[in-house]
Amino acid sequence: MADLSFLALLLLLPPALLFVVLYVIVRPRPVKIPIKNRHVFITGGSSGIGLALAHQAAIEGARVSILARSIDKLEEAKNYIQLSTGIDVSIFAADVRDYGAVSKAVEEAGPVDVLIVNQGVFVPEELEKQGLDEVKFMVDVNLIGSFNMIKAALPEMKKGEDRGPRSIALMSSQAGQVGIYGYTAYSASKFGLRGLAEALQQEVISHDIHVSLVFPPDTDTPGFAEETKRRPPLTGIIAESSGAMKAEDVAKRALDGIKSASFIVPCNFEGLLLSIATAGLSPQRSFVMAFFEVVAAGLVRLIALCFQWNWYTSIQKWQAQNKRT
Ligand SMILES: NC(=O)C1=CN([C@@H]2O[C@H](COP(=O)(O)OP(=O)(O)OC[C@H]3O[C@@H](n4cnc5c(N)ncnc54)[C@H](OP(=O)(O)O)[C@@H]3O)[C@@H](O)[C@H]2O)C=CC1
Ligand SMILES: CCCCCCCCCCCCCCCC(=O)[C@@H](N)CO
């Protein structure tokens, strides 16, 4: 009996020690970002995930501003939120590719507490067929547009130390964690956001600003409805490895991730696996998540290799059936 409890202790000791070590070393330290009564500024807030985020943030008592190009869609979004919640949302018509327009909007909106850089365009096609104009379009809107937004909002955000912890959240995609057939430009733009976010977090941590990166799977939005009209079949087949979600559910996950200042914010179970598989050197505030990352790394890599096996088999089959062009 005594031998058994000694054995149990011996088995439990390494994970317990690991827990303690991780609890001590995880950086940056955990922090909570309040939403209520704070200024939440959402780009691409007139449609899909951005609109769901604006709606949710308004319900939670935030002062909400949304920015997008089309004034008609912005007004429609404003009316929808007004009708369903009674809350007024400020709207700003600007193209994120235009730094001057974006700065003007941010200046008019006033200091931002939570900046959600969510605008995005996606036009899937094999690189060989896709025009460079479309490649540039995706990189400009998704990546350079995000730089423009952050550059415009950061100076005032930095001055807000008396307002408490602030957040910059970026909307990536699971295609920003793994490259997917048909998404060369899109994946590149979303992988780019990760480099931006990791470096930025180190630069703004001393100002109590916390960066989050959200990784949704396929999500039912007006943009996605357009995308599916022209998505190469193989893109769809591979993307279906992760379950599709509703915009409201992605928005809820995203907002919860922002409020707990998680650096990596997965949205579904496959996303959780992907986050562990691609944890790399990204910051981790939660010692519990850090524990799983350390302990599950090998197994998750094995699962990832099985997915790659499955995807390459699908590609091979598809190309055999449809004669390579
Ligand atoms: N839906 C999906 O399957 C997934 C989406 N995502 C990401 O989530 C984000 C939102 O996607 P989703 O809700 O589907 O997209 P939608 O196409 O439904 O909405 C996109 C929003 O971005 C705005 N926008 C687009 N281009 C610009 C621009 N140049 N300047 C300013 N605003 C712009 C649009 O308004 P306007 O056109 O008027 O400018 C609109 O408000 C994107 O970053 C996308 O990559 C990630 C994973 C999956
Ligand atoms: C370790 C094992 C991990 C297993 C899970 C792998 C699942 C990967 C699926 C990738 C899906 C990409 C969807 C892109 C959605 C998107 O951004 C477009 N709809 C454009 O908006």
Side-chain angles (χ1 to χ4, degrees):
M1 200 54 201
D3 276 0
L4 262 185
S5 49
F6 179 69
L7 196 70
L9 195 72
L10 214 64
L11 281 175
L12 283 177
L13 204 61
L17 259 176
L18 180 61
F19 246 115
V20 174
V21 168
L22 291 172
Y23 178 78
V24 173
I25 68 166
V26 287
R27 289 293 184 280
R29 302 308 292 171
V31 60
K32 294 278 172 233
I33 316 268
I35 291 287
K36 199 173 158 79
N37 294 326
R38 304 195 82 201
H39 184 201
V40 178
F41 190 104
I42 307 167
T43 68
S46 65
S47 171
I49 297 171
L51 176 57
L53 273 165
H55 188 246
Q56 183 74 27
I59 290 174
E60 293 190 23
R63 172 164 90 79
V64 178
S65 300
I66 57 177
L67 177 147
R69 287 166 306 176
S70 152
I71 186 74
D72 292 345
K73 276 203 280 175
L74 282 165
E75 291 196 333
E76 213 178 294
K78 183 185 168 86
N79 290 338
Y80 158 74
I81 296 175
Q82 172 76 257
L83 274 175
S84 58
T85 67
I87 298 163
D88 191 38
V89 165
S90 308
I91 56 175
F92 299 91
D95 189 319
V96 291
R97 289 170 293 179
D98 178 348
Y99 180 73
V102 156
S103 315
K104 194 166 157 271
V106 169
E107 199 183 316
E108 271 174 42
V112 176
D113 295 309
V114 177
L115 173 65
I116 309 184
V117 187
N118 158 83
Q119 90 290 337
V121 287
F122 28 91
V123 199
E125 192 166 35
E126 292 85 353
L127 179 60
E128 202 191 351
K129 294 185 195 151
Q130 189 152 50
L132 280 170
D133 53 336
E134 278 182 352
V135 170
K136 193 168 177 310
F137 174 57
M138 281 183 268
V139 174
D140 279 351
V141 174
N142 301 356
L143 186 56
I144 307 298
S146 302
F147 274 100
N148 286 343
M149 237 5 268
I150 295 168
K151 277 285 280 181
L154 196 52
E156 283 299 323
M157 284 187 82
K158 272 191 170 178
K159 288 185 203 151
E161 249 128 18
D162 52 326
R163 298 198 305 272
R166 284 132 290 138
S167 162
I168 297 176
L170 296 158
M171 195 58 66
S172 182
S173 157
Q174 289 183 355
Q177 293 177 300
V178 54
I180 301 284
Y181 184 106
Y183 280 146
T184 52
Y186 181 68
S187 279
S189 72
K190 295 296 188 181
F191 269 76
L193 291 182
R194 185 167 186 148
L196 158 58
E198 287 188 3
L200 182 68
Q201 180 60 91
Q202 295 187 357
E203 293 182 13
V204 298
I205 189 70
S206 59
H207 289 91
D208 204 8
I209 298 177
H210 307 279
V211 179
S212 291
L213 256 179
V214 187
F215 294 99
D218 274 343
T219 306
D220 187 9
T221 67
F224 182 61
E226 280 305 306
E227 178 189 23
T228 44
K229 287 183 193 161
R230 64 172 285 183
R231 191 150 88 157
L234 272 172
T235 308
I237 291 169
I238 296 174
E240 271 165 25
S241 311
S242 190
M245 289 180 77
K246 290 201 187 86
E248 290 69 29
D249 297 332
V250 169
K252 200 178 171 318
R253 292 285 170 149
L255 217 51
D256 286 348
I258 291 168
K259 287 192 280 189
S260 60
S262 306
F263 182 77
I264 300 286
V265 182
C267 296
N268 60 1
F269 178 68
E270 293 85 348
L272 188 69
L273 286 181
L274 263 174
S275 299
I276 297 174
T278 62
L281 267 78
S282 52
Q284 178 57 269
R285 294 166 191 270
S286 155
F287 70 96
V288 178
M289 268 308 293
F291 180 83
F292 284 114
E293 286 170 359
V294 173
V295 170
L299 179 65
V300 172
R301 176 64 179 142
L302 179 64
I303 300 171
L305 291 170
C306 294
F307 271 92
Q308 287 295 351
W309 166 75
N310 175 255
W311 293 342
Y312 278 90
T313 309
S314 304
I315 293 168
Q316 214 177 5
K317 265 195 208 146
W318 179 267
Q319 286 176 342
Q321 273 164 18
N322 294 270
K323 283 261 164 62
R324 294 191 56 199
T325 45

